[in-house]
Amino acid sequence: VDVPIIAAGGICDGLSMAGAFAMGAEGVQMGTRMLSCSDSPVHDNWKQAVVAAKETDTVFLNQASRPALRALRTERTEKLLPLGAFNAMEHFAGVQQLYFGGDMEAAIPLSGQVVGRIDAVKSAADIVQETMSGFYKAMHDLASRYPA
């Protein structure tokens, strides 16, 4: 294609960024990672839930409809899981209470499986620095392993 490709989903560090670039991306978006950074206005309850979560602590909702959603496992999302299809917008009415009030049951807390790889709340600057360092290390390691 003639436009830059920005990869999203499953990216939280330099290694996953390198993987995205290996598949042709020219940039990455780290949703869950940045949602849980110290600079994010998201309530600390959500950030701490991300840090505490394992990969298996997310659910894939609304699989039989659109939009399909990946979210943290909560009482609300557990009840939605067996439905297969539902009007997702109805479950975002309390999004402000979730984002800013910390009520994890007020709406669907969208988060990717990368929660299992996020072990601390860090500043956005630290995340970017660590991601870029990890990216360059991964690229260097690949170049030394597979010289041109």
Side-chain angles (χ1 to χ4, degrees), residues 72-115:
L72 281 176
R73 186 179 304 275
T74 64
E75 286 182 33
R76 176 188 283 264
T77 60
E78 282 289 334
K79 290 175 186 170
L80 294 171
L81 188 57
L83 298 180
F86 56 88
N87 180 352
M89 295 307 117
E90 291 177 2
H91 296 277
F92 287 106
V95 74
Q96 289 193 355
Q97 290 87 357
L98 167 64
Y99 271 79
F100 308 117
D103 182 351
M104 295 299 291
E105 299 298 334
I108 299 172
L110 300 175
S111 300
Q113 287 179 301
V114 296
V115 296

Side-chain angles (χ1 to χ4, degrees), residues 12-76:
C12 64
D13 57 18
L15 193 57
S16 49
M17 180 180 171
F21 274 57
M23 292 186 284
E26 296 178 55
V28 295
Q29 184 243 327
M30 299 188 293
T32 302
R33 187 64 194 111
M34 288 306 193
L35 170 138
S36 62
C37 81
S38 61
D39 303 292
S40 167
V42 169
H43 195 278
D44 198 50
N45 288 354
W46 194 348
K47 295 175 188 182
Q48 293 308 315
V50 166
V51 169
K54 302 180 301 288
E55 289 87 348
T56 54
D57 291 332
T58 65
V59 293
F60 186 40
L61 300 172
N62 214 25
Q63 295 178 40
S65 187
R66 294 291 177 261
L69 309 164
R70 174 72 59 184
L72 281 176
R73 186 179 304 275
T74 64
E75 286 182 33
R76 176 188 283 264

